[in-house]
Amino acid sequence: IRWHTSCIMSSTWASSHAVKYGLPLVFLSIVGSLGLRELSSARIEARDERVHQVADIKTRAATGAVDKPFDIEEEYVRLQKMMDINKWEQKRIPRSGER
């Protein structure tokens, strides 16, 4: 009878290991797979959106509906007209400990 009892205990212990370690492994594998699928689909959608934006810009450029290109010299002249560089006042910025 002792041998039979120990045999039952060992099979219970073995199934306990399967339940204790096997089920969480399977569960985490399935949940991880679903999570990775969602993350990768979001990444692919973001990339597709960027590709469509670039395609729209190229299409507008081909049709001539593009805004005027940025010119740094024109921007400099525009900003110069907005400011009077002869009338300025030096202002000291307070340091972090001086407040």
Side-chain angles (χ1 to χ4, degrees):
I1 294 180
R2 253 187 188 177
W3 180 79
H4 182 64
T5 306
S6 67
C7 187
I8 291 172
M9 294 293 266
S10 67
S11 69
T12 305
W13 181 252
S15 68
S16 171
H17 274 297
V19 171
K20 188 175 181 181
Y21 299 112
L23 288 180
L25 175 69
V26 170
F27 175 74
L28 290 175
S29 298
I30 292 171
V31 170
S33 172
L34 295 174
L36 285 175
R37 184 182 67 185
E38 292 299 319
L39 288 174
S40 64
S41 69
R43 182 179 56 91
I44 289 171
E45 288 173 5
R47 185 193 64 201
D48 287 347
E49 185 176 326
R50 276 187 271 128
V51 167
H52 289 303
Q53 287 175 351
V54 169
D56 290 342
I57 291 170
K58 287 182 179 179
T59 304
R60 286 185 8 203
T63 60
V66 176
D67 298 333
K68 186 171 78 171
F70 180 78
D71 185 18
I72 191 73
E73 292 168 357
E74 288 179 13
E75 187 69 16
Y76 176 72
V77 170
R78 187 183 69 81
L79 288 174
Q80 247 183 347
K81 288 178 184 176
M82 286 176 38
M83 293 188 269
D84 186 12
I85 60 172
N86 295 324
K87 296 180 183 177
W88 62 277
E89 184 178 325
Q90 184 175 2
K91 295 182 181 179
R92 189 176 191 295
I93 299 173
R95 295 183 181 168
S96 60
E98 293 179 354
R99 293 182 192 223

